Amino acid sequence: MDDGSMSAWEGDVRELREGVAGPVFLFRGVSTTDGATHVAEAAADNPLEYLESVIAVGATSVADVQAVVRFAARHHLPVAIRATGRQVVRIAHGAVLINTSRMHGVHVDKTDRTARVEAGVRWKTVVDEAARYGLAPMSGSSPEAGVVGYTLGAGQSSLGSAADHVREIEVVTADGELRHVTADGEPDLFWALRGGKGNFGVVTAITFDLMEETTSYGGSLYLPARSMADVLPIWRTWAGSLPERATTSVAVERIPVLAEILPEMLGNAFVLQIRFAFLGPAAEGERLIAPIRAISPLLIDQVYARPYAESAMIDLDTESGTPLYSWTTTLRELSDEVLDAFIEVAGPEPDCPLTMVEIRPLGGASDREPPVPNAVPALRSPYVVNAFGIGGPDEDLLNARLHRLGNGLAPWEVDGLRTVNFVGGDEDAGGDRVRLAYGAQRQERLARVQRRFDPANMFRMNHDIALW
């Protein structure tokens, strides 16, 4: 945008600055890191992704969000939304960026067993607050993940998805109105928001059910990655025998990015990590994990009873401002042939550029429609494969390896379905990958709802489900 067109509405920008409590930054074609300190305050973790935005606003309240959305509507500008994770899946070129990380209110209702959480809250805050009352949320594996982004994209597990447990969503739609959306009020929008990610407005808060859980049994077992050909068939059979309240995943990892939180003996190691969690008595958990504990050689055993508030230590997920390049798919089976293909593309060489390649079994409640239906696809597939690498000088090599992984497992994909929380900008997040994440029928219904509430597709910078 040139200086002439910018000056035509700089008066509106001044009015916006006066009307919001949070910071407002106006950019004129910033293309270097000179403006990074300003963008960082408004855009948070990874400022370099947002240097092409026209305006960045650090919203502190619903009123701030409404003012920004109305400003964008007047000037026919798209809106990108960022809180704590990677909701913005493309560079926000020419957009108004709303960062909601300053909206961090949490309220737990012990009697109703619910939590109301604002848009900038991370799971660790909710887990800790709920634990004070003997309650727990359907949180993700990373304590630093944003609650709203995780939940809007489903947040799947064998116990169902976090979206299944949402009671109310507060969202500012493209007309600048705040809507309190429930199953009884705006049921179509309530259906679409739960699983439809960021296509329908700026979610400012959600209210969801909590579980009566105070402890869990679980953790990780580490084995040499060179043993994966022997271990993975055993893990596959064992995982299929677990009850619904037990979950597991397995990951091939190159450890350096986790060096600060793993035992010193695993520093720079190439390992196979088997994760396990069970919501039930420790004695039963001990019995369930026994077949995997018997595998040799076992490098480290970190599986034990722990407070639910420490459940994030099971996966040892971390959040980083370093650019991530990711890929995901769902598989209909995990046959010997699939495992052979997985081993071929996930390793076995230690210098492979992929930081992690994991297999997550789903099944259970994730294959059933919840009592109040939502846009989360019932995958009817027991396995999700997710891979990522850390960006840097070897980005081309990294992307080539991710494509090799995708091609190697393509014959066993479930109609190309993806879980939308794992679809990033490097995977054409505004195109075929998002359509495949939902399937044709859900995609069409989502698009109908979007045309009603956002006819100009204002929120297209996120996982864009529009059918044009």
Side-chain angles (χ1 to χ4, degrees):
M1 182 172 294
D2 60 35
D3 285 348
S5 59
M6 291 285 284
S7 62
W9 46 274
E10 279 189 339
D12 282 354
V13 174
R14 286 193 296 271
E15 183 180 342
L16 180 62
R17 281 196 172 113
E18 294 170 358
V20 301
V24 178
F25 300 106
L26 174 64
F27 306 105
R28 289 180 173 84
V30 178
S31 59
T32 71
T33 57
D34 294 343
T37 54
H38 299 296
V39 183
E41 185 174 356
D45 300 342
N46 191 5
L48 298 183
E49 293 181 17
Y50 304 99
L51 293 178
E52 295 187 34
S53 63
V54 176
I55 296 173
V57 180
T60 63
S61 66
V62 170
D64 281 3
V65 173
Q66 289 178 294
V68 180
V69 169
R70 288 167 181 162
F71 173 89
R74 284 199 304 274
H75 294 284
H76 309 288
L77 296 171
V79 171
I81 308 162
R82 182 174 173 85
T84 58
R86 294 192 294 157
Q87 293 97 318
V88 178
V89 294
R90 286 176 287 174
I91 291 177
H93 179 72
V96 176
L97 173 69
I98 300 176
N99 181 276
T100 61
S101 62
R102 292 166 175 79
M103 301 176 65
H104 42 68
V106 176
H107 174 71
V108 171
D109 186 325
K110 179 181 179 181
T111 302
D112 205 28
R113 295 206 303 274
T114 62
R116 180 186 178 275
V117 176
E118 292 186 346
V121 176
R122 300 174 188 263
W123 273 120
K124 184 180 188 308
T125 302
V126 181
V127 169
D128 290 347
E129 183 65 16
R132 295 175 52 205
Y133 305 98
L135 301 170
M138 283 277 291
S139 51
S141 56
S142 171
E144 296 301 315
V147 175
V148 168
Y150 172 89
T151 304
L152 296 183
Q156 287 162 315
S157 75
S158 65
L159 295 178
S161 74
D164 297 345
H165 299 273
V166 174
R167 292 196 187 185
E168 181 179 357
I169 299 176
E170 299 166 41
V171 58
V172 175
T173 47
D175 56 6
E177 294 300 314
L178 175 65
R179 301 173 189 269
H180 294 262
V181 183
T182 65
D184 297 322
E186 299 288 7
D188 288 341
L189 185 56
F190 190 59
W191 174 87
L193 283 166
R194 294 171 302 130
K197 209 61 175 171
N199 281 272
F200 308 95
V202 185
V203 173
T204 58
I206 57 174
T207 300
F208 50 85
D209 294 320
L210 299 171
M211 304 179 292
E212 288 187 298
E213 298 287 350
T214 57
T215 61
S216 65
Y217 181 86
S220 292
L221 303 174
Y222 293 90
L223 300 96
R226 65 178 181 272
S227 65
M228 70 176 83
D230 296 323
V231 173
L232 287 177
I234 298 171
W235 173 84
R236 172 191 59 195
T237 301
W238 171 75
S241 71
L242 293 176
E244 199 165 283
R245 291 181 66 80
T247 57
T248 184
S249 63
V250 64
V252 179
E253 294 189 327
R254 282 110 184 141
I255 292 299
V257 295
L258 300 177
E260 293 181 2
I261 53 178
L262 281 176
E264 185 176 349
M265 67 174 291
L266 287 186
N268 297 313
F270 175 43
V271 299
L272 190 68
Q273 179 190 15
I274 297 178
R275 298 87 167 253
F276 174 69
F278 175 60
L279 294 178
E284 179 65 7
E286 292 271 359
R287 185 188 68 79
L288 291 172
I289 194 65
I292 298 298
R293 274 202 168 118
I295 298 175
S296 179
L298 191 64
L299 298 176
I300 291 180
D301 184 340
Q302 293 184 328
V303 179
Y304 50 81
R306 62 182 78 219
Y308 188 91
E310 295 180 7
S311 59
M313 294 300 294
I314 292 172
D315 279 23
L316 290 177
D317 277 359
T318 61
E319 293 289 317
S320 171
T322 307
L324 296 177
Y325 293 80
S326 63
W327 172 91
T328 187
T329 192
T330 58
L331 301 179
R332 64 175 178 265
E333 63 183 65
L334 206 60
S335 62
D336 290 344
E337 189 177 13
V338 176
L339 287 180
D340 289 343
F342 176 84
I343 293 169
E344 172 65 25
V345 294
E349 68 274 19
D351 59 350
C352 170
L354 300 181
T355 304
M356 184 202 70
V357 187
E358 71 168 351
I359 305 172
R360 295 188 183 191
L362 291 178
S366 68
D367 281 350
R368 301 192 294 267
E369 286 286 356
V372 180
N374 55 44
V376 178
L379 294 179
R380 296 181 177 84
S381 168
Y383 303 104
V384 172
V385 177
N386 180 46
F388 74 83
I390 303 298
D394 297 324
E395 288 180 8
D396 291 342
L397 181 63
L398 176 55
N399 279 316
R401 192 55 178 248
L402 287 170
H403 282 102
R404 178 182 163 192
L405 178 64
N407 292 335
L409 296 177
W412 300 281
E413 289 182 341
V414 182
D415 299 327
L417 284 176
R418 306 291 191 275
T419 51
V420 73
N421 269 349
F422 288 135
V423 176
D426 48 311
E427 291 191 272
D428 182 25
D432 291 341
R433 290 289 189 175
V434 171
R435 295 183 181 94
L436 290 171
Y438 295 106
Q441 186 174 359
R442 273 183 168 82
Q443 168 86 11
E444 290 173 3
R445 183 177 175 186
L446 284 165
R448 286 196 303 271
V449 177
Q450 193 223 28
R451 284 193 292 270
R452 177 184 166 196
F453 290 96
D454 183 14
N457 200 14
M458 176 185 286
F459 301 104
R460 60 186 176 271
M461 308 309 296
N462 303 293
H463 293 80
D464 187 10
I465 50 83
L467 293 173
W468 299 100

